Amino acid sequence: MMSGNHLWYSGLSENGYPDFRPTGLLTNTNDFSSYLSIYFPAFIYVLLQKKTWVRTFIALSSAAVLFFLVVATESRTGLIAFLITIVLIIIKLYTKQIALFLFFIGTCVVSISLLVMKLFQTQEFSYFVGKQTSTDQRLLIYETALNVAKESHFLGVGMGVVPKYIFEALYGTVNISANITQTMSAHNFWLAQLADIGVLGLACFFNLFCLAIPSGG
């Protein structure tokens, strides 16, 4: 990240110029920020099997580093997911008094970070507040996926078909280069599944989640 160079399979390596957004061992920044949020609880669980001040300091320091990395990815969804993860971890691991103290410290750190980014007009701040085009595109993608689900009477159009509909909604069907992959992700797992496999298929996913939740105390 500090060098602006990435592994050959990273999407940022194709830009032809240094790109300081991190992708880690993954293809794009959104995936990287999501994986940081997903696996951070596992790291905290192992680290805080035995609670000491040193381990707590390491956990807090790691959270600060990961917050910096997630912000650097310029992924708004990743940032929201990371903050929710942090809140749930604190509520689960600490007493109410300690949790309130950590929330206060965390709020101060986030606020100061955003203030510094605004004062210095950093790339990350500009990207977060200036993504109207990206936001409009996502809304069009969600609307297209929902319309596909409605037109199929919520029975689905088949596995993997929705990305084709979304690509056509964004780019049309003419004057498209044959060198590009003519599909576009729905950027929303549940909407994609609803449009692909319908209500019945989506019910199977919910069933798997229910089975994964342990019963009892």
Side-chain angles (χ1 to χ4, degrees):
M1 173 188 171
M2 301 303 294
S3 68
N5 298 314
H6 302 270
L7 298 174
W8 64 269
Y9 51 77
S10 170
L12 302 185
S13 65
E14 301 174 358
N15 291 337
Y17 57 86
D19 196 321
F20 298 96
R21 292 173 294 167
T23 57
L25 299 175
L26 302 173
T27 303
N28 62 58
T29 55
N30 290 323
D31 288 343
F32 183 61
S33 63
S34 298
Y35 272 78
L36 290 178
S37 301
I38 291 171
Y39 289 108
F40 184 59
F43 166 74
I44 292 297
Y45 174 79
V46 173
L47 179 65
L48 296 182
Q49 286 289 315
K50 182 180 179 181
K51 292 181 183 177
T52 64
W53 284 108
V54 173
R55 289 172 178 259
T56 300
F57 175 77
I58 293 174
L60 294 175
S61 301
S62 301
V65 171
L66 261 65
F67 172 72
F68 169 75
L69 287 174
V70 170
V71 169
T73 64
E74 301 177 351
S75 172
R76 293 174 296 182
T77 304
L79 179 60
I80 293 172
F82 181 72
L83 293 177
I84 292 175
T85 299
I86 291 294
V87 169
L88 294 177
I89 288 174
I90 292 175
I91 292 175
K92 180 68 176 178
L93 292 180
Y94 296 99
T95 63
K96 184 181 295 185
Q97 290 78 9
I98 296 178
L100 289 173
F101 174 74
L102 292 177
F103 284 145
F104 173 75
I105 296 298
T107 302
C108 291
V109 170
V110 172
S111 300
I112 293 172
S113 300
L114 292 175
L115 180 61
V116 170
M117 286 192 292
K118 178 175 175 58
L119 290 175
F120 289 94
Q121 290 296 312
T122 62
Q123 178 182 346
E124 291 82 7
F125 185 82
S126 300
Y127 198 76
F128 274 110
V129 299
K131 296 180 69 174
Q132 187 59 44
T133 301
S134 175
T135 300
D136 292 341
Q137 185 184 70
R138 293 294 175 92
L139 291 175
L140 176 59
I141 289 174
Y142 298 156
E143 182 182 1
T144 300
L146 186 58
N147 288 336
V148 170
K150 290 179 179 178
E151 291 171 3
S152 68
H153 305 289
F154 296 99
L155 296 177
V157 293
M159 288 293 296
V161 179
V162 170
K164 191 74 172 179
Y165 283 96
I166 293 175
F167 180 87
E168 292 178 357
L170 292 175
Y171 301 105
T173 56
V174 297
N175 299 324
I176 302 299
S177 173
N179 297 326
I180 64 174
T181 302
Q182 298 184 17
T183 58
M184 173 63 71
S185 169
H187 294 284
N188 185 300
F189 175 80
W190 299 109
L191 266 180
Q193 299 311 310
L194 178 62
D196 264 343
I197 56 182
V199 174
L200 295 178
L202 199 60
C204 293
F205 274 103
F206 279 119
N207 186 49
L208 288 175
F209 277 100
C210 291
L211 290 175
I213 298 175
S215 59

